Amino acid sequence: MLSADWVLPVEGAPIEDGAVAIEDGRIAAVGTVTELGPGERFPGAVIVPGFVNAHTHLEYAVYAGFGDGQSFAPWLAIHIERKARIDRAEMETIARLGAAECLASGVTTVGDAAFAGASAHACATLGLRAIVYLEVFGADPAEALRQYDEKLEYVRPVLSGLVRAGVSPHAPYSCSTEVYAACLELGVPVMTHFNESQDELDWLERGEGPMRPVADFLIDPDGQTGIHRLAGAGLLGSDIVAAHCVKLAADELELLASHDVAVVHCPRSNALLGCGLAPLAELRAAGLRVGVGTDGVSSVPSHDYFEELRAVIAAARARSERADALSPTEALELATLGGARALGMADEIGSLVVGKRADLTVIGLADSAYLPWEDPAAAVVFGGGSHRTLATLVDGETRYEKGGDEWHELIAAAARARSRLLGREPPLE
Ligand SMILES: [Zn+2]
């Protein structure tokens, strides 16, 4: 049993002086302290469902700043060159830091697009719920399935109810329609990147633009965007989770909606890469399942999920020039139930409802500008931060606690891997 000044179940009204009872890893009761008793009490705090970081790349947790400010081609070249310098053990070390940063930010589930699969090992070690989508690339479906099989072999020993495997045909400019078809036939969760940048559309529609110099890595363009290409092949469906969807034409939005494709909104990544702002209001109005993701630290400065939520609200309000475009309560729903729906996990997680997995986070707002309380959702979304996360529980188990002592080792190990990425000798231990 945990209790706090507020419990925000997301499905159901906020509960002042609320408590959550946990039994066998599931939520057994949600109510007031008067009804349930105080259990472990967190004063000045709010209990919310664990956040769902619906699109990230934990394996890039120390890639911060690589290629910043460059256009796609040189940015990609830097990543390819540096990534080749490290091995799987170092990738796991980096992904462990990324998983720990997510837990510290109140995240209890990640939708992780994995180049190697190291993030599956990291999530299993740290107890972070995950769908790890193993990335495949290229034009040849047999080769893509070979990549998938090889990565699946590496992650298989750590797969469980907590850490599951999916597949990620990377993007329409790096995977052929046949590769998408082969991935969808596997019958596992599928994640991809759609319409992230104008560069992507310039290549796919006209074979032009900044992607031209890296044409060796790309699929030959056929004049269509990925969404049109896959729709034409009958491949769009509710089993696809699409990150970004920034440069979306009205007919493409309609195709996504009519085929129930889920979208993950990553506003900091889209802004920092100079890609634009996704049409969140239109996506929501069309009834699409929408979650929020930080994307990788290859394109954003951190896994801080609170920073992402503030960007979600800032982007929505700036784009519409309306202060009521998105409320903290709506942002909190996108962060939890929205992400759970996008990943197809809403029966299990995403809200504090009896019977769901006990994935929750406790955020301490004492000494913040949002106390005494007025709007607890606003306090969490605007006043929260990784430094205010008091505890993160997955399946009712505490997986992060403020003041834990394992951070130094995680950070030092990941910093050594970053030295290797930069082509330098790691510092002596
Ligand atoms: Zn991504």
Side-chain angles (χ1 to χ4, degrees), residues 53-60 95 98-99 102 109-120 123 128-135 164-168 191 295-296 303 343:
N53 188 347
H55 179 70
T56 185
H57 302 263
L58 297 180
E59 292 169 358
Y60 303 154
C102 285
T109 297
V110 292
D112 186 80
F115 180 77
S119 49
C123 291
L128 176 61
R129 192 182 303 285
I131 301 180
V132 175
Y133 303 86
L134 304 169
E135 287 189 319
R164 302 168 212 180
V167 66
S168 179
M191 176 173 277
D295 209 350
H303 287 118
L343 299 186

PDB file of all heavy atoms in Angstrom, residues 53-60 95 98-99 102 109-120 123 128-135 164-168 191 295-296 303 343:
ATOM      1  N   ASN A  53       7.201   5.555 -22.185  1.00  0.00           N
ATOM      2  CA  ASN A  53       8.065   6.221 -23.171  1.00  0.00           C
ATOM      3  C   ASN A  53       7.952   5.392 -24.449  1.00  0.00           C
ATOM      4  O   ASN A  53       8.654   4.403 -24.633  1.00  0.00           O
ATOM      5  CB  ASN A  53       9.501   6.278 -22.655  1.00  0.00           C
ATOM      6  CG  ASN A  53      10.392   7.117 -23.553  1.00  0.00           C
ATOM      7  OD1 ASN A  53      10.003   7.457 -24.680  1.00  0.00           O
ATOM      8  ND2 ASN A  53      11.581   7.449 -23.089  1.00  0.00           N
ATOM      9  N   ALA A  54       7.007   5.828 -25.304  1.00  0.00           N
ATOM     10  CA  ALA A  54       6.540   4.951 -26.378  1.00  0.00           C
ATOM     11  C   ALA A  54       7.481   4.861 -27.579  1.00  0.00           C
ATOM     12  O   ALA A  54       7.286   4.017 -28.458  1.00  0.00           O
ATOM     13  CB  ALA A  54       5.147   5.390 -26.833  1.00  0.00           C
ATOM     14  N   HIS A  55       8.475   5.738 -27.638  1.00  0.00           N
ATOM     15  CA  HIS A  55       9.494   5.587 -28.691  1.00  0.00           C
ATOM     16  C   HIS A  55      10.832   6.099 -28.189  1.00  0.00           C
ATOM     17  O   HIS A  55      10.993   7.285 -27.907  1.00  0.00           O
ATOM     18  CB  HIS A  55       9.114   6.334 -29.974  1.00  0.00           C
ATOM     19  CG  HIS A  55      10.161   6.212 -31.046  1.00  0.00           C
ATOM     20  ND1 HIS A  55      10.412   5.030 -31.710  1.00  0.00           N
ATOM     21  CD2 HIS A  55      11.055   7.098 -31.539  1.00  0.00           C
ATOM     22  CE1 HIS A  55      11.398   5.205 -32.563  1.00  0.00           C
ATOM     23  NE2 HIS A  55      11.812   6.458 -32.484  1.00  0.00           N
ATOM     24  N   THR A  56      11.777   5.182 -28.069  1.00  0.00           N
ATOM     25  CA  THR A  56      13.115   5.600 -27.657  1.00  0.00           C
ATOM     26  C   THR A  56      14.137   4.648 -28.264  1.00  0.00           C
ATOM     27  O   THR A  56      13.782   3.680 -28.953  1.00  0.00           O
ATOM     28  CB  THR A  56      13.224   5.651 -26.114  1.00  0.00           C
ATOM     29  OG1 THR A  56      14.504   6.173 -25.751  1.00  0.00           O
ATOM     30  CG2 THR A  56      13.047   4.278 -25.480  1.00  0.00           C
ATOM     31  N   HIS A  57      15.404   4.979 -28.063  1.00  0.00           N
ATOM     32  CA  HIS A  57      16.517   4.123 -28.484  1.00  0.00           C
ATOM     33  C   HIS A  57      17.490   4.118 -27.306  1.00  0.00           C
ATOM     34  O   HIS A  57      18.419   4.922 -27.263  1.00  0.00           O
ATOM     35  CB  HIS A  57      17.229   4.692 -29.727  1.00  0.00           C
ATOM     36  CG  HIS A  57      16.360   4.893 -30.937  1.00  0.00           C
ATOM     37  ND1 HIS A  57      16.283   3.982 -31.962  1.00  0.00           N
ATOM     38  CD2 HIS A  57      15.538   5.908 -31.295  1.00  0.00           C
ATOM     39  CE1 HIS A  57      15.455   4.427 -32.908  1.00  0.00           C
ATOM     40  NE2 HIS A  57      14.987   5.600 -32.517  1.00  0.00           N
ATOM     41  N   LEU A  58      17.272   3.225 -26.342  1.00  0.00           N
ATOM     42  CA  LEU A  58      18.107   3.236 -25.134  1.00  0.00           C
ATOM     43  C   LEU A  58      19.578   2.988 -25.441  1.00  0.00           C
ATOM     44  O   LEU A  58      20.458   3.404 -24.690  1.00  0.00           O
ATOM     45  CB  LEU A  58      17.602   2.178 -24.137  1.00  0.00           C
ATOM     46  CG  LEU A  58      16.185   2.387 -23.598  1.00  0.00           C
ATOM     47  CD1 LEU A  58      15.827   1.266 -22.620  1.00  0.00           C
ATOM     48  CD2 LEU A  58      16.044   3.740 -22.904  1.00  0.00           C
ATOM     49  N   GLU A  59      19.841   2.312 -26.549  1.00  0.00           N
ATOM     50  CA  GLU A  59      21.239   1.997 -26.889  1.00  0.00           C
ATOM     51  C   GLU A  59      22.046   3.247 -27.255  1.00  0.00           C
ATOM     52  O   GLU A  59      23.261   3.176 -27.418  1.00  0.00           O
ATOM     53  CB  GLU A  59      21.273   0.997 -28.054  1.00  0.00           C
ATOM     54  CG  GLU A  59      20.749  -0.372 -27.646  1.00  0.00           C
ATOM     55  CD  GLU A  59      20.520  -1.309 -28.822  1.00  0.00           C
ATOM     56  OE1 GLU A  59      20.737  -0.898 -29.985  1.00  0.00           O
ATOM     57  OE2 GLU A  59      20.109  -2.451 -28.579  1.00  0.00           O
ATOM     58  N   TYR A  60      21.373   4.394 -27.398  1.00  0.00           N
ATOM     59  CA  TYR A  60      22.075   5.632 -27.760  1.00  0.00           C
ATOM     60  C   TYR A  60      22.159   6.604 -26.576  1.00  0.00           C
ATOM     61  O   TYR A  60      22.333   7.810 -26.766  1.00  0.00           O
ATOM     62  CB  TYR A  60      21.377   6.319 -28.946  1.00  0.00           C
ATOM     63  CG  TYR A  60      21.260   5.453 -30.188  1.00  0.00           C
ATOM     64  CD1 TYR A  60      20.251   5.656 -31.110  1.00  0.00           C
ATOM     65  CD2 TYR A  60      22.181   4.434 -30.437  1.00  0.00           C
ATOM     66  CE1 TYR A  60      20.134   4.870 -32.248  1.00  0.00           C
ATOM     67  CE2 TYR A  60      22.074   3.637 -31.573  1.00  0.00           C
ATOM     68  CZ  TYR A  60      21.051   3.861 -32.466  1.00  0.00           C
ATOM     69  OH  TYR A  60      20.943   3.078 -33.597  1.00  0.00           O
ATOM     70  N   ALA A  95      22.940   1.046 -22.706  1.00  0.00           N
ATOM     71  CA  ALA A  95      21.487   0.868 -22.605  1.00  0.00           C
ATOM     72  C   ALA A  95      21.045   0.770 -21.145  1.00  0.00           C
ATOM     73  O   ALA A  95      19.936   1.195 -20.797  1.00  0.00           O
ATOM     74  CB  ALA A  95      21.051  -0.367 -23.383  1.00  0.00           C
ATOM     75  N   GLY A  98      20.569   4.168 -19.991  1.00  0.00           N
ATOM     76  CA  GLY A  98      19.325   4.689 -20.568  1.00  0.00           C
ATOM     77  C   GLY A  98      18.099   4.156 -19.833  1.00  0.00           C
ATOM     78  O   GLY A  98      17.166   4.908 -19.526  1.00  0.00           O
ATOM     79  N   ALA A  99      18.090   2.865 -19.529  1.00  0.00           N
ATOM     80  CA  ALA A  99      16.950   2.272 -18.820  1.00  0.00           C
ATOM     81  C   ALA A  99      16.836   2.869 -17.413  1.00  0.00           C
ATOM     82  O   ALA A  99      15.733   3.162 -16.940  1.00  0.00           O
ATOM     83  CB  ALA A  99      17.120   0.758 -18.750  1.00  0.00           C
ATOM     84  N   CYS A 102      15.329   6.270 -17.575  1.00  0.00           N
ATOM     85  CA  CYS A 102      13.877   6.203 -17.779  1.00  0.00           C
ATOM     86  C   CYS A 102      13.169   5.927 -16.455  1.00  0.00           C
ATOM     87  O   CYS A 102      12.203   6.615 -16.105  1.00  0.00           O
ATOM     88  CB  CYS A 102      13.532   5.134 -18.812  1.00  0.00           C
ATOM     89  SG  CYS A 102      13.901   5.653 -20.506  1.00  0.00           S
ATOM     90  N   THR A 109       7.400   1.733 -18.742  1.00  0.00           N
ATOM     91  CA  THR A 109       7.373   0.942 -19.980  1.00  0.00           C
ATOM     92  C   THR A 109       8.039   1.737 -21.096  1.00  0.00           C
ATOM     93  O   THR A 109       7.788   2.935 -21.235  1.00  0.00           O
ATOM     94  CB  THR A 109       5.922   0.622 -20.410  1.00  0.00           C
ATOM     95  OG1 THR A 109       5.304  -0.190 -19.413  1.00  0.00           O
ATOM     96  CG2 THR A 109       5.876  -0.124 -21.738  1.00  0.00           C
ATOM     97  N   VAL A 110       8.867   1.045 -21.884  1.00  0.00           N
ATOM     98  CA  VAL A 110       9.433   1.687 -23.077  1.00  0.00           C
ATOM     99  C   VAL A 110       9.067   0.898 -24.328  1.00  0.00           C
ATOM    100  O   VAL A 110       8.990  -0.332 -24.304  1.00  0.00           O
ATOM    101  CB  VAL A 110      10.979   1.825 -23.007  1.00  0.00           C
ATOM    102  CG1 VAL A 110      11.385   2.809 -21.932  1.00  0.00           C
ATOM    103  CG2 VAL A 110      11.669   0.486 -22.801  1.00  0.00           C
ATOM    104  N   GLY A 111       8.844   1.638 -25.415  1.00  0.00           N
ATOM    105  CA  GLY A 111       8.795   1.065 -26.749  1.00  0.00           C
ATOM    106  C   GLY A 111      10.141   1.402 -27.362  1.00  0.00           C
ATOM    107  O   GLY A 111      10.372   2.539 -27.772  1.00  0.00           O
ATOM    108  N   ASP A 112      11.052   0.447 -27.372  1.00  0.00           N
ATOM    109  CA  ASP A 112      12.445   0.747 -27.720  1.00  0.00           C
ATOM    110  C   ASP A 112      12.799   0.176 -29.090  1.00  0.00           C
ATOM    111  O   ASP A 112      12.687  -1.031 -29.316  1.00  0.00           O
ATOM    112  CB  ASP A 112      13.391   0.146 -26.673  1.00  0.00           C
ATOM    113  CG  ASP A 112      14.824   0.556 -26.913  1.00  0.00           C
ATOM    114  OD1 ASP A 112      15.172   1.693 -26.529  1.00  0.00           O
ATOM    115  OD2 ASP A 112      15.583  -0.226 -27.510  1.00  0.00           O
ATOM    116  N   ALA A 113      13.226   1.038 -29.989  1.00  0.00           N
ATOM    117  CA  ALA A 113      13.721   0.583 -31.283  1.00  0.00           C
ATOM    118  C   ALA A 113      15.207   0.290 -31.127  1.00  0.00           C
ATOM    119  O   ALA A 113      15.993   1.194 -30.829  1.00  0.00           O
ATOM    120  CB  ALA A 113      13.484   1.647 -32.349  1.00  0.00           C
ATOM    121  N   ALA A 114      15.579  -0.992 -31.287  1.00  0.00           N
ATOM    122  CA  ALA A 114      16.929  -1.426 -30.915  1.00  0.00           C
ATOM    123  C   ALA A 114      17.742  -1.810 -32.142  1.00  0.00           C
ATOM    124  O   ALA A 114      17.355  -2.704 -32.893  1.00  0.00           O
ATOM    125  CB  ALA A 114      16.840  -2.609 -29.959  1.00  0.00           C
ATOM    126  N   PHE A 115      18.891  -1.153 -32.291  1.00  0.00           N
ATOM    127  CA  PHE A 115      19.795  -1.478 -33.395  1.00  0.00           C
ATOM    128  C   PHE A 115      20.422  -2.853 -33.161  1.00  0.00           C
ATOM    129  O   PHE A 115      20.547  -3.652 -34.080  1.00  0.00           O
ATOM    130  CB  PHE A 115      20.879  -0.413 -33.510  1.00  0.00           C
ATOM    131  CG  PHE A 115      21.851  -0.665 -34.613  1.00  0.00           C
ATOM    132  CD1 PHE A 115      21.504  -0.410 -35.928  1.00  0.00           C
ATOM    133  CD2 PHE A 115      23.118  -1.186 -34.351  1.00  0.00           C
ATOM    134  CE1 PHE A 115      22.391  -0.656 -36.964  1.00  0.00           C
ATOM    135  CE2 PHE A 115      24.016  -1.438 -35.381  1.00  0.00           C
ATOM    136  CZ  PHE A 115      23.654  -1.175 -36.693  1.00  0.00           C
ATOM    137  N   ALA A 116      20.798  -3.137 -31.900  1.00  0.00           N
ATOM    138  CA  ALA A 116      21.465  -4.403 -31.591  1.00  0.00           C
ATOM    139  C   ALA A 116      20.566  -5.375 -30.827  1.00  0.00           C
ATOM    140  O   ALA A 116      20.622  -6.582 -31.045  1.00  0.00           O
ATOM    141  CB  ALA A 116      22.725  -4.129 -30.769  1.00  0.00           C
ATOM    142  N   GLY A 117      19.776  -4.830 -29.900  1.00  0.00           N
ATOM    143  CA  GLY A 117      19.014  -5.682 -28.977  1.00  0.00           C
ATOM    144  C   GLY A 117      19.562  -5.584 -27.563  1.00  0.00           C
ATOM    145  O   GLY A 117      19.027  -6.196 -26.637  1.00  0.00           O
ATOM    146  N   ALA A 118      20.628  -4.780 -27.395  1.00  0.00           N
ATOM    147  CA  ALA A 118      21.243  -4.619 -26.067  1.00  0.00           C
ATOM    148  C   ALA A 118      20.248  -4.056 -25.060  1.00  0.00           C
ATOM    149  O   ALA A 118      20.322  -4.351 -23.865  1.00  0.00           O
ATOM    150  CB  ALA A 118      22.459  -3.692 -26.171  1.00  0.00           C
ATOM    151  N   SER A 119      19.298  -3.262 -25.539  1.00  0.00           N
ATOM    152  CA  SER A 119      18.322  -2.662 -24.628  1.00  0.00           C
ATOM    153  C   SER A 119      17.447  -3.725 -23.973  1.00  0.00           C
ATOM    154  O   SER A 119      16.984  -3.541 -22.851  1.00  0.00           O
ATOM    155  CB  SER A 119      17.470  -1.623 -25.365  1.00  0.00           C
ATOM    156  OG  SER A 119      16.993  -2.164 -26.564  1.00  0.00           O
ATOM    157  N   ALA A 120      17.218  -4.863 -24.639  1.00  0.00           N
ATOM    158  CA  ALA A 120      16.437  -5.944 -24.019  1.00  0.00           C
ATOM    159  C   ALA A 120      17.166  -6.462 -22.784  1.00  0.00           C
ATOM    160  O   ALA A 120      16.561  -6.691 -21.735  1.00  0.00           O
ATOM    161  CB  ALA A 120      16.199  -7.072 -25.017  1.00  0.00           C
ATOM    162  N   CYS A 123      16.894  -3.731 -20.022  1.00  0.00           N
ATOM    163  CA  CYS A 123      15.560  -3.644 -19.404  1.00  0.00           C
ATOM    164  C   CYS A 123      15.313  -4.853 -18.507  1.00  0.00           C
ATOM    165  O   CYS A 123      14.729  -4.722 -17.428  1.00  0.00           O
ATOM    166  CB  CYS A 123      14.484  -3.521 -20.481  1.00  0.00           C
ATOM    167  SG  CYS A 123      14.546  -1.947 -21.351  1.00  0.00           S
ATOM    168  N   LEU A 128      12.692  -2.909 -16.162  1.00  0.00           N
ATOM    169  CA  LEU A 128      11.878  -1.931 -16.892  1.00  0.00           C
ATOM    170  C   LEU A 128      11.051  -2.679 -17.938  1.00  0.00           C
ATOM    171  O   LEU A 128      11.596  -3.441 -18.746  1.00  0.00           O
ATOM    172  CB  LEU A 128      12.806  -0.909 -17.571  1.00  0.00           C
ATOM    173  CG  LEU A 128      12.177   0.160 -18.465  1.00  0.00           C
ATOM    174  CD1 LEU A 128      11.200   1.049 -17.682  1.00  0.00           C
ATOM    175  CD2 LEU A 128      13.279   1.038 -19.084  1.00  0.00           C
ATOM    176  N   ARG A 129       9.719  -2.480 -17.916  1.00  0.00           N
ATOM    177  CA  ARG A 129       8.862  -3.154 -18.893  1.00  0.00           C
ATOM    178  C   ARG A 129       9.178  -2.625 -20.298  1.00  0.00           C
ATOM    179  O   ARG A 129       9.361  -1.412 -20.472  1.00  0.00           O
ATOM    180  CB  ARG A 129       7.393  -2.879 -18.548  1.00  0.00           C
ATOM    181  CG  ARG A 129       6.407  -3.748 -19.314  1.00  0.00           C
ATOM    182  CD  ARG A 129       4.950  -3.413 -18.981  1.00  0.00           C
ATOM    183  NE  ARG A 129       4.633  -3.525 -17.563  1.00  0.00           N
ATOM    184  CZ  ARG A 129       4.469  -4.675 -16.909  1.00  0.00           C
ATOM    185  NH1 ARG A 129       4.582  -5.819 -17.552  1.00  0.00           N
ATOM    186  NH2 ARG A 129       4.190  -4.681 -15.622  1.00  0.00           N
ATOM    187  N   ALA A 130       9.228  -3.507 -21.260  1.00  0.00           N
ATOM    188  CA  ALA A 130       9.649  -3.057 -22.600  1.00  0.00           C
ATOM    189  C   ALA A 130       9.088  -3.934 -23.704  1.00  0.00           C
ATOM    190  O   ALA A 130       8.924  -5.141 -23.536  1.00  0.00           O
ATOM    191  CB  ALA A 130      11.181  -3.080 -22.698  1.00  0.00           C
ATOM    192  N   ILE A 131       8.776  -3.277 -24.813  1.00  0.00           N
ATOM    193  CA  ILE A 131       8.748  -3.992 -26.082  1.00  0.00           C
ATOM    194  C   ILE A 131       9.998  -3.509 -26.815  1.00  0.00           C
ATOM    195  O   ILE A 131      10.169  -2.299 -27.038  1.00  0.00           O
ATOM    196  CB  ILE A 131       7.495  -3.691 -26.918  1.00  0.00           C
ATOM    197  CG1 ILE A 131       6.222  -4.076 -26.143  1.00  0.00           C
ATOM    198  CG2 ILE A 131       7.560  -4.461 -28.233  1.00  0.00           C
ATOM    199  CD1 ILE A 131       4.933  -3.800 -26.900  1.00  0.00           C
ATOM    200  N   VAL A 132      10.890  -4.442 -27.119  1.00  0.00           N
ATOM    201  CA  VAL A 132      12.128  -4.092 -27.812  1.00  0.00           C
ATOM    202  C   VAL A 132      11.953  -4.497 -29.277  1.00  0.00           C
ATOM    203  O   VAL A 132      11.871  -5.684 -29.605  1.00  0.00           O
ATOM    204  CB  VAL A 132      13.336  -4.796 -27.162  1.00  0.00           C
ATOM    205  CG1 VAL A 132      14.604  -4.538 -27.963  1.00  0.00           C
ATOM    206  CG2 VAL A 132      13.499  -4.311 -25.719  1.00  0.00           C
ATOM    207  N   TYR A 133      11.843  -3.488 -30.116  1.00  0.00           N
ATOM    208  CA  TYR A 133      11.606  -3.702 -31.548  1.00  0.00           C
ATOM    209  C   TYR A 133      12.962  -3.800 -32.237  1.00  0.00           C
ATOM    210  O   TYR A 133      13.696  -2.806 -32.311  1.00  0.00           O
ATOM    211  CB  TYR A 133      10.809  -2.534 -32.134  1.00  0.00           C
ATOM    212  CG  TYR A 133       9.473  -2.274 -31.461  1.00  0.00           C
ATOM    213  CD1 TYR A 133       9.384  -1.462 -30.331  1.00  0.00           C
ATOM    214  CD2 TYR A 133       8.290  -2.826 -31.962  1.00  0.00           C
ATOM    215  CE1 TYR A 133       8.157  -1.201 -29.718  1.00  0.00           C
ATOM    216  CE2 TYR A 133       7.063  -2.578 -31.362  1.00  0.00           C
ATOM    217  CZ  TYR A 133       7.010  -1.767 -30.240  1.00  0.00           C
ATOM    218  OH  TYR A 133       5.794  -1.509 -29.644  1.00  0.00           O
ATOM    219  N   LEU A 134      13.300  -4.991 -32.712  1.00  0.00           N
ATOM    220  CA  LEU A 134      14.618  -5.231 -33.301  1.00  0.00           C
ATOM    221  C   LEU A 134      14.660  -4.633 -34.714  1.00  0.00           C
ATOM    222  O   LEU A 134      13.838  -4.990 -35.567  1.00  0.00           O
ATOM    223  CB  LEU A 134      14.892  -6.738 -33.321  1.00  0.00           C
ATOM    224  CG  LEU A 134      14.797  -7.396 -31.923  1.00  0.00           C
ATOM    225  CD1 LEU A 134      14.798  -8.915 -32.046  1.00  0.00           C
ATOM    226  CD2 LEU A 134      15.921  -6.910 -31.016  1.00  0.00           C
ATOM    227  N   GLU A 135      15.622  -3.745 -34.920  1.00  0.00           N
ATOM    228  CA  GLU A 135      15.642  -2.998 -36.192  1.00  0.00           C
ATOM    229  C   GLU A 135      16.202  -3.833 -37.346  1.00  0.00           C
ATOM    230  O   GLU A 135      17.192  -4.553 -37.194  1.00  0.00           O
ATOM    231  CB  GLU A 135      16.495  -1.727 -36.031  1.00  0.00           C
ATOM    232  CG  GLU A 135      15.792  -0.674 -35.196  1.00  0.00           C
ATOM    233  CD  GLU A 135      16.511   0.660 -35.199  1.00  0.00           C
ATOM    234  OE1 GLU A 135      17.754   0.686 -35.130  1.00  0.00           O
ATOM    235  OE2 GLU A 135      15.831   1.703 -35.262  1.00  0.00           O
ATOM    236  N   ARG A 164       9.496  -7.951 -23.997  1.00  0.00           N
ATOM    237  CA  ARG A 164       9.035  -8.692 -25.179  1.00  0.00           C
ATOM    238  C   ARG A 164       9.763  -8.190 -26.425  1.00  0.00           C
ATOM    239  O   ARG A 164      10.249  -7.069 -26.442  1.00  0.00           O
ATOM    240  CB  ARG A 164       7.525  -8.489 -25.367  1.00  0.00           C
ATOM    241  CG  ARG A 164       6.736  -8.945 -24.154  1.00  0.00           C
ATOM    242  CD  ARG A 164       5.291  -8.489 -24.224  1.00  0.00           C
ATOM    243  NE  ARG A 164       4.795  -8.252 -22.874  1.00  0.00           N
ATOM    244  CZ  ARG A 164       3.566  -7.840 -22.587  1.00  0.00           C
ATOM    245  NH1 ARG A 164       2.701  -7.597 -23.559  1.00  0.00           N
ATOM    246  NH2 ARG A 164       3.201  -7.651 -21.346  1.00  0.00           N
ATOM    247  N   ALA A 165       9.783  -9.018 -27.428  1.00  0.00           N
ATOM    248  CA  ALA A 165      10.459  -8.631 -28.666  1.00  0.00           C
ATOM    249  C   ALA A 165       9.448  -8.281 -29.741  1.00  0.00           C
ATOM    250  O   ALA A 165       8.388  -8.902 -29.852  1.00  0.00           O
ATOM    251  CB  ALA A 165      11.356  -9.761 -29.151  1.00  0.00           C
ATOM    252  N   GLY A 166       9.778  -7.267 -30.511  1.00  0.00           N
ATOM    253  CA  GLY A 166       9.037  -6.923 -31.712  1.00  0.00           C
ATOM    254  C   GLY A 166      10.045  -6.719 -32.829  1.00  0.00           C
ATOM    255  O   GLY A 166      11.220  -7.074 -32.681  1.00  0.00           O
ATOM    256  N   VAL A 167       9.582  -6.153 -33.928  1.00  0.00           N
ATOM    257  CA  VAL A 167      10.480  -5.905 -35.051  1.00  0.00           C
ATOM    258  C   VAL A 167      10.284  -4.468 -35.519  1.00  0.00           C
ATOM    259  O   VAL A 167       9.178  -3.928 -35.422  1.00  0.00           O
ATOM    260  CB  VAL A 167      10.233  -6.917 -36.198  1.00  0.00           C
ATOM    261  CG1 VAL A 167       8.849  -6.738 -36.823  1.00  0.00           C
ATOM    262  CG2 VAL A 167      11.310  -6.814 -37.265  1.00  0.00           C
ATOM    263  N   SER A 168      11.371  -3.856 -35.981  1.00  0.00           N
ATOM    264  CA  SER A 168      11.263  -2.493 -36.483  1.00  0.00           C
ATOM    265  C   SER A 168      11.883  -2.352 -37.859  1.00  0.00           C
ATOM    266  O   SER A 168      13.096  -2.159 -37.988  1.00  0.00           O
ATOM    267  CB  SER A 168      11.932  -1.502 -35.518  1.00  0.00           C
ATOM    268  OG  SER A 168      11.833  -0.197 -36.053  1.00  0.00           O
ATOM    269  N   MET A 191       7.253  -1.555 -35.041  1.00  0.00           N
ATOM    270  CA  MET A 191       7.448  -0.107 -34.901  1.00  0.00           C
ATOM    271  C   MET A 191       8.263   0.391 -36.078  1.00  0.00           C
ATOM    272  O   MET A 191       9.168  -0.297 -36.552  1.00  0.00           O
ATOM    273  CB  MET A 191       8.174   0.208 -33.592  1.00  0.00           C
ATOM    274  CG  MET A 191       8.496   1.693 -33.414  1.00  0.00           C
ATOM    275  SD  MET A 191       9.181   2.048 -31.775  1.00  0.00           S
ATOM    276  CE  MET A 191       7.671   2.175 -30.819  1.00  0.00           C
ATOM    277  N   ASP A 295      12.305   9.687 -27.964  1.00  0.00           N
ATOM    278  CA  ASP A 295      13.270   9.333 -28.995  1.00  0.00           C
ATOM    279  C   ASP A 295      14.619   9.089 -28.319  1.00  0.00           C
ATOM    280  O   ASP A 295      14.706   9.086 -27.089  1.00  0.00           O
ATOM    281  CB  ASP A 295      13.342  10.409 -30.086  1.00  0.00           C
ATOM    282  CG  ASP A 295      13.746   9.825 -31.452  1.00  0.00           C
ATOM    283  OD1 ASP A 295      14.141   8.646 -31.507  1.00  0.00           O
ATOM    284  OD2 ASP A 295      13.667  10.548 -32.462  1.00  0.00           O
ATOM    285  N   GLY A 296      15.659   8.883 -29.091  1.00  0.00           N
ATOM    286  CA  GLY A 296      16.953   8.553 -28.491  1.00  0.00           C
ATOM    287  C   GLY A 296      17.753   9.777 -28.126  1.00  0.00           C
ATOM    288  O   GLY A 296      17.522  10.865 -28.657  1.00  0.00           O
ATOM    289  N   HIS A 303      16.743  11.584 -21.447  1.00  0.00           N
ATOM    290  CA  HIS A 303      15.529  10.767 -21.369  1.00  0.00           C
ATOM    291  C   HIS A 303      14.523  11.365 -20.392  1.00  0.00           C
ATOM    292  O   HIS A 303      13.597  10.671 -19.970  1.00  0.00           O
ATOM    293  CB  HIS A 303      15.884   9.342 -20.908  1.00  0.00           C
ATOM    294  CG  HIS A 303      16.579   8.523 -21.951  1.00  0.00           C
ATOM    295  ND1 HIS A 303      17.849   8.039 -21.797  1.00  0.00           N
ATOM    296  CD2 HIS A 303      16.168   8.110 -23.173  1.00  0.00           C
ATOM    297  CE1 HIS A 303      18.195   7.357 -22.878  1.00  0.00           C
ATOM    298  NE2 HIS A 303      17.200   7.386 -23.723  1.00  0.00           N
ATOM    299  N   LEU A 343       0.916   1.200 -27.832  1.00  0.00           N
ATOM    300  CA  LEU A 343       1.724  -0.030 -27.856  1.00  0.00           C
ATOM    301  C   LEU A 343       0.872  -1.289 -27.740  1.00  0.00           C
ATOM    302  O   LEU A 343       1.402  -2.399 -27.645  1.00  0.00           O
ATOM    303  CB  LEU A 343       2.761   0.002 -26.724  1.00  0.00           C
ATOM    304  CG  LEU A 343       3.787   1.139 -26.762  1.00  0.00           C
ATOM    305  CD1 LEU A 343       4.824   0.945 -25.656  1.00  0.00           C
ATOM    306  CD2 LEU A 343       4.488   1.250 -28.108  1.00  0.00           C
TER     307      LEU A 343
END
